[in-house]
Amino acid sequence: MSTQTEPKLVTQIDFARAGQITPQMKEVAEREHRDPEYIRERVADGRIAIPANIVHIKKGMRAFGVGEGLSTKVNVNLGISGDKADAAEEWKKVKIAEDFGADAIMDLSNSGKTRQFRQQLIDETPLMVGTVPMYDAIGYMEKPLVKLTKDDLFEVVRAHAEDGVDFMTIHCGINKSVTKTFKETGRLMNIVSRGGSLLFGWMEVTGNENPFYEYFDELLEICHEYDVTISLGDSCRPGCLYDSNDATETAEMIELGKLCKRAWAAGVQVMVEGPGHMALDEIAANMKLQKRLCHNAPFYVLGPLVTDIGVGYDHITAAIGGAISASSGADFLCYVTPAEHLCLPNAQDVLDGLMATKIAAHAADIAKKVPHARDMDDKMGQARRKLDWDAMWKCALVPVTGKKRYEESPAATEGTCTMCGKMCAVRTVNKVFEGTTIDLGMED
Ligand code: SF4
């Protein structure tokens, strides 16, 4: 009889590799119209991540799958920040994220009672919760950046894991080799990732290696204990079109690919973060390169924004890039709001940004042939063909918006809208097929 004890299965990837289908895999399979075995196989080899901290599962979170063959997920960023710490406004944003179909909320709080906000969020929301511990570190440890030690940073990561955070953006890939490439080759916008810039500053002043890179195995132990999915941050994502697909971005991506393999070997789920800003014709190649270098790990992107000059309308520039990136392989879109590059978004910005990103994700899902992605579009076509307005509202991403606009502008001709009135093309052709009179109001 063997005296060896079996390794403890904790993470979704542990169970998947042991051939076991977890309740979370079943839930993802059901929602995505996939066989549970399809999900298990891809969780086992890292192509799908199910970010679900064991603490958050106990609080009743819904399980979401991110990755190959699944619908594109959408994230909303919010959180209390130093310049505008208004927790009530942030809770309004949480409600919008939940009511209007976000899959994840990233709590980017960096000032004030961040732990209280985070714990309450995890208690209350069934959506995936992500954080960036580096943002929280300075306030949490009450120390200036350069005084933070490796132990301080890891203490913050552990606190977030214990609180039940499902995925953490950690900028592990910006090591001394990548910063050397950055300094040698130069960039127009340098480093625009907040966490990446803090780590770069810390490394330059202390002369030390990035602790998240140097002690990556220790980080993996914490993540494994709670099944935190590591979202490998892209410190060197391009902050303008000029910097996209440059040596620095690619150098970091190569490092992220190596870290993916180490995380999977330790039974930790991984996602990889991506651009940024990028010309439309470069996006598809970037997605393919990332998938190749990072061994098909789920890809989580911010847009990318396809022009740098859409100031005030960057939810649109990002949605265009988001649709291209997701249809070319990205699995998870972080929303961008009209306030991008300008100020902390308000609740209306959050709604506008979320809807733009959801439309991009949905358009991509149709192109990716995600099972049943087009069903509602086809129902909408049928409803429009019949001029059945109530059915149209039921198909719309946001029923209330369309209904309100329609009712504010009553049509004189029944069944039509004020866009064409009696010259409604749908009505005219319906009448042709019905064999009834086409009355355009000029007959008398
Ligand atoms: S009136 Fe014009 S826009 Fe309105 S439903 Fe008919 S065809 Fe469409």
Side-chain angles (χ1 to χ4, degrees):
M1 205 172 90
S2 168
T3 53
Q4 274 190 330
T5 49
E6 292 293 322
K8 195 172 165 219
L9 306 181
V10 179
T11 65
Q12 297 292 330
I13 202 166
D14 287 344
F15 285 105
R17 284 190 186 144
Q20 296 186 32
I21 292 170
T22 62
Q24 289 70 40
M25 291 177 211
K26 270 191 201 150
E27 188 183 335
V28 169
E30 199 169 318
R31 191 169 318 126
E32 302 276 354
H33 309 281
R34 294 286 189 187
D35 190 272
E37 183 57 19
Y38 176 99
I39 305 296
R40 187 204 64 76
E41 267 179 17
R42 284 158 180 77
V43 171
D45 67 14
R47 281 176 288 165
I48 289 178
I50 303 179
N53 185 310
I54 55 174
V55 174
H56 200 190
I57 288 175
K58 286 185 194 136
K59 293 176 192 281
M61 78 170 290
R62 291 166 64 199
F64 297 86
V66 183
E68 187 180 283
L70 306 183
S71 59
T72 307
K73 303 300 175 298
V74 171
N75 173 70
V76 159
N77 288 337
L78 47 84
I80 41 178
S81 89
D83 285 349
K84 214 166 179 296
D86 181 351
E89 180 74 2
E90 298 313 300
W91 282 109
K92 265 193 227 168
K93 298 177 189 175
V94 171
K95 189 88 183 78
I96 289 169
E98 291 174 349
D99 289 352
F100 291 85
D103 305 290
I105 294 172
M106 283 198 81
D107 170 16
L108 305 185
S109 296
N110 57 38
S111 176
K113 294 180 177 165
T114 57
R115 191 159 203 189
Q116 189 186 325
F117 185 84
R118 180 169 64 249
Q119 288 175 335
Q120 195 182 341
L121 179 64
I122 290 163
D123 281 347
E124 293 184 12
T125 191
L127 307 184
M128 291 183 277
V129 173
T131 58
V132 190
M134 194 67 203
Y135 292 1
D136 191 24
I138 296 163
Y140 187 85
M141 302 309 302
E142 294 182 331
K143 280 185 184 177
L145 174 69
V146 294
K147 297 278 183 214
L148 290 172
T149 64
K150 168 250 167 186
D151 287 341
D152 291 336
L153 295 174
F154 278 54
E155 190 181 323
V156 179
V157 171
R158 179 165 281 283
H160 284 224
E162 284 170 359
D163 289 345
V165 171
D166 303 302
F167 66 95
M168 289 185 209
T169 296
I170 305 184
H171 302 81
C172 309
I174 180 165
N175 58 18
K176 284 192 171 182
S177 162
V178 172
T179 59
K180 185 167 177 279
T181 302
F182 162 52
K183 286 187 277 187
E184 278 173 2
T185 57
R187 307 185 103 189
L188 184 57
M189 277 291 296
N190 293 322
I191 293 174
V192 298
S193 148
R194 210 184 322 176
S197 68
L198 292 173
L199 272 166
F200 176 69
W202 187 91
M203 289 165 71
E204 288 296 299
V205 173
T206 63
N208 293 332
E209 179 54 283
N210 174 354
F212 294 122
Y213 177 78
E214 189 172 1
Y215 301 97
F216 189 61
D217 292 332
E218 219 174 295
L219 182 66
L220 293 176
E221 281 172 28
I222 301 172
C223 292
H224 187 267
E225 198 178 329
Y226 294 90
D227 198 1
V228 174
T229 298
I230 295 192
S231 190
L232 289 169
D234 54 334
S235 303
C236 303
R237 67 167 180 262
C240 61
L241 300 187
Y242 187 89
D243 292 337
S244 69
N245 285 309
D246 70 350
T248 306
E249 186 195 353
T250 311
E252 187 184 31
M253 206 189 283
I254 291 168
E255 295 301 326
L256 298 181
K258 293 181 207 166
L259 296 175
C260 283
K261 283 201 162 176
R262 286 174 60 188
W264 288 328
V268 173
Q269 303 190 90
V270 191
M271 302 188 289
V272 177
E273 296 188 7
H277 292 231
M278 190 165 283
L280 204 124
D281 61 314
E282 294 181 22
I283 296 172
N286 181 276
M287 298 300 121
K288 293 204 175 2
L289 184 65
Q290 185 279 341
K291 285 275 174 175
R292 180 74 184 263
L293 291 174
C294 297
H295 323 290
N296 294 313
F299 202 14
Y300 177 26
V301 302
L302 184 73
L305 282 67
V306 293
T307 166
D308 296 338
I309 61 170
V311 187
Y313 302 93
D314 274 330
H315 57 316
I316 298 172
T317 64
I320 294 169
I324 307 279
S325 63
S327 61
S328 307
D331 307 286
F332 193 4
L333 301 180
C334 183
Y335 88 157
V336 172
T337 77
E340 185 75 12
H341 300 113
L342 300 172
C343 56
L344 191 71
N346 61 27
Q348 184 62 46
D349 293 326
V350 168
L351 178 58
D352 293 344
L354 172 57
M355 291 322 301
T357 313
K358 274 193 68 78
I359 290 166
H362 179 65
D365 288 347
I366 294 167
K368 282 198 277 195
K369 310 264 184 285
V370 168
H372 299 282
R374 216 183 74 177
D375 289 2
M376 211 45 105
D377 295 77
D378 292 341
K379 276 192 187 153
M380 179 64 99
Q382 286 164 14
R384 284 188 171 141
R385 147 80 175 73
K386 293 179 195 157
L387 291 169
D388 181 344
W389 296 89
D390 286 335
M392 287 184 226
W393 312 141
K394 286 186 188 136
C395 299
L397 275 177
V398 184
V400 68
T401 309
K403 189 167 192 280
K404 183 166 176 285
R405 290 299 302 270
Y406 178 73
E407 289 176 353
E408 278 170 1
S409 179
T413 307
E414 200 192 340
T416 68
C417 75
T418 50
M419 178 81 180
C420 335
K422 276 201 168 173
M423 293 180 73
C424 171
V426 180
R427 176 176 174 270
T428 300
V429 178
N430 283 351
K431 283 188 173 289
V432 171
F433 284 122
E434 285 160 10
T436 51
T437 312
I438 307 167
D439 53 327
L440 297 181
M442 296 162 223
E443 288 77 10
D444 299 335

